[in-house]
Amino acid sequence: GGTLAIMYSTGITERDYRVVQSSTGKVTLNPTTVTGLPAPYIGTLRTDASGVLLNISVPTVYWDGGQTSADGVVGGGTGTWNTNTSNTNWTTSDGTSNTKWVSNMRSVFAGTPGTVTVSGTQTVDQLQFDVGGYILSSGGLTPGLASTILQVTNAGDTATFNTPLTGSKNWT
């Protein structure tokens, strides 16, 4: 294995980037680590018939409320949304790894609904509510992309915003 170090300046977007072009289509992928991407972007490498692609994406995290350690469940519920390093109340889709909030991640609210106290202004790429009954209060939310998605998944479900949706970019 090895490392692919990204020399980032500006203008990075989510997509596949061709990093190796092969006319024979026979490329062995040895680098296993991608470094240098700004938070929250993550990079993964894969091969195709023409060489090696670097896929850059934004992670999707699930609200885990007051749960700050992985327990195999996306619990949802009541808690405080902030960027403190000790506040690891965001988890993976299967609840096996918790993390702190990093600006511009995609957020999903599932599990048990509750009141989410937003501390400060949080920048998001997506707000998705998979269950109804969540209440967001205090602080503020601002879109991180030119068009940030705000979605309530199920017909008839609601999410209540007692926190301002601000910023100069669009909510869709």
Side-chain angles (χ1 to χ4, degrees), residues 7-134:
M7 305 305 282
Y8 167 77
S9 59
T10 59
I12 198 165
T13 60
E14 283 189 281
R15 68 180 185 94
D16 285 334
Y17 293 85
R18 171 90 40 212
V19 293
V20 175
Q21 180 71 39
S22 171
S23 59
T24 65
K26 297 176 183 176
V27 176
T28 302
L29 183 62
N30 286 326
T32 56
T33 304
V34 177
T35 63
L37 292 170
Y41 292 102
I42 55 174
T44 55
L45 295 167
R46 64 181 168 83
T47 60
D48 69 4
S50 300
V52 178
L53 295 171
L54 167 64
N55 176 265
I56 295 180
S57 62
V58 173
T60 299
V61 292
Y62 293 75
W63 177 249
D64 218 8
Q67 183 66 34
T68 58
S69 59
D71 62 358
V73 175
V74 177
T78 297
T80 300
W81 179 355
N82 60 37
T83 56
N84 294 346
T85 56
S86 62
N87 196 7
T88 56
N89 53 0
W90 294 92
T91 191
T92 54
S93 62
D94 60 3
T96 58
S97 176
N98 279 45
T99 188
K100 72 179 187 88
W101 175 257
V102 177
S103 287
N104 290 314
M105 290 198 292
R106 291 190 174 109
S107 59
V108 178
F109 294 85
T112 302
T115 299
V116 179
T117 304
V118 180
S119 178
T121 299
Q122 303 302 326
T123 304
V124 300
D125 178 47
Q126 174 179 320
L127 286 170
Q128 178 177 320
F129 296 86
D130 285 353
V131 297
Y134 271 100

Side-chain angles (χ1 to χ4, degrees), residues 112-171:
T112 302
T115 299
V116 179
T117 304
V118 180
S119 178
T121 299
Q122 303 302 326
T123 304
V124 300
D125 178 47
Q126 174 179 320
L127 286 170
Q128 178 177 320
F129 296 86
D130 285 353
V131 297
Y134 271 100
I135 300 169
L136 276 63
S137 64
S138 303
L141 298 170
T142 188
L145 300 176
S147 185
T148 294
I149 298 168
L150 174 57
Q151 176 183 359
V152 178
T153 305
N154 302 305
D157 283 352
T158 61
T160 303
F161 289 84
N162 294 329
T163 186
L165 302 178
T166 62
S168 59
K169 299 175 184 173
N170 295 324
W171 293 93

